[in-house]
Amino acid sequence: MLSNQFKWSLMLLMLIFICSACQTNNSQEDSSSSIPLNELILLSEKGKRLSWNDFERYAYEDEGSGLYIRKYNVEGGRHLIVSGKSLDKQPDHIYVVRRDGQQIDFVKENIEGLENYENVINIM
């Protein structure tokens, strides 16, 4: 007959196994949690008038330590980084990280050309 301690240990082990199998893999991009490129272009049109509130509806990863740094997934494997000292003021820096790792300023002209540039890179 199995001891009570062994039964509880076995039950706990099974519970841990089940819970770990149910966790989602956050490293895979979920298209429903990514900012669509057309919305990114619309956001870029606001220019210097962008605020933290403009990004409220999108999921993000908090990467800041002492500063507010939020990383948003963007359609196509890109990322939008928004950073600043205070959520009550406009962000200090906003840039897009392309698939090749290059950072580009978040201005309308750069964002509109983003898709075309990366399509050329993929063909090469």
Side-chain angles (χ1 to χ4, degrees):
M1 189 150 270
L2 298 173
S3 72
N4 278 342
Q5 184 178 7
F6 180 76
K7 288 179 187 178
W8 281 108
S9 297
L10 186 58
M11 233 163 68
L12 181 61
L13 183 62
M14 287 175 49
L15 181 64
I16 291 172
F17 176 76
I18 291 169
C19 289
S20 66
C22 293
Q23 288 182 337
T24 59
N25 184 355
N26 291 332
S27 65
Q28 295 178 347
E29 182 181 338
D30 179 10
S31 61
S32 66
S33 67
S34 296
I35 302 173
L37 196 54
N38 63 335
E39 289 184 30
L40 194 69
I41 292 169
L42 291 175
L43 285 168
S44 71
E45 291 175 354
K46 290 187 81 173
K48 301 273 185 201
R49 295 175 294 138
L50 279 168
S51 71
W52 293 96
N53 294 336
D54 292 311
F55 303 99
E56 278 184 346
R57 60 185 267 187
Y58 306 110
Y60 64 89
E61 293 178 42
D62 188 6
E63 296 192 345
S65 178
L67 292 175
Y68 293 97
I69 302 173
R70 294 180 175 177
K71 178 181 174 183
Y72 299 85
N73 290 329
V74 176
E75 173 186 8
R78 304 167 192 93
H79 300 286
L80 178 70
I81 307 296
V82 182
S83 65
K85 297 175 190 140
S86 170
L87 296 177
D88 297 325
K89 297 180 180 179
Q90 291 178 308
D92 295 327
H93 302 286
I94 303 175
Y95 60 91
V96 174
V97 179
R98 295 189 323 211
R99 290 185 293 233
D100 64 5
Q102 184 177 358
Q103 297 178 3
I104 61 170
D105 291 329
F106 191 67
V107 293
K108 182 181 175 184
E109 296 78 26
N110 288 349
I111 304 308
E112 287 178 331
L114 187 63
E115 187 69 31
N116 293 333
Y117 172 83
E118 290 185 346
N119 285 338
V120 170
I121 295 298
N122 288 336
I123 292 171
M124 297 176 131

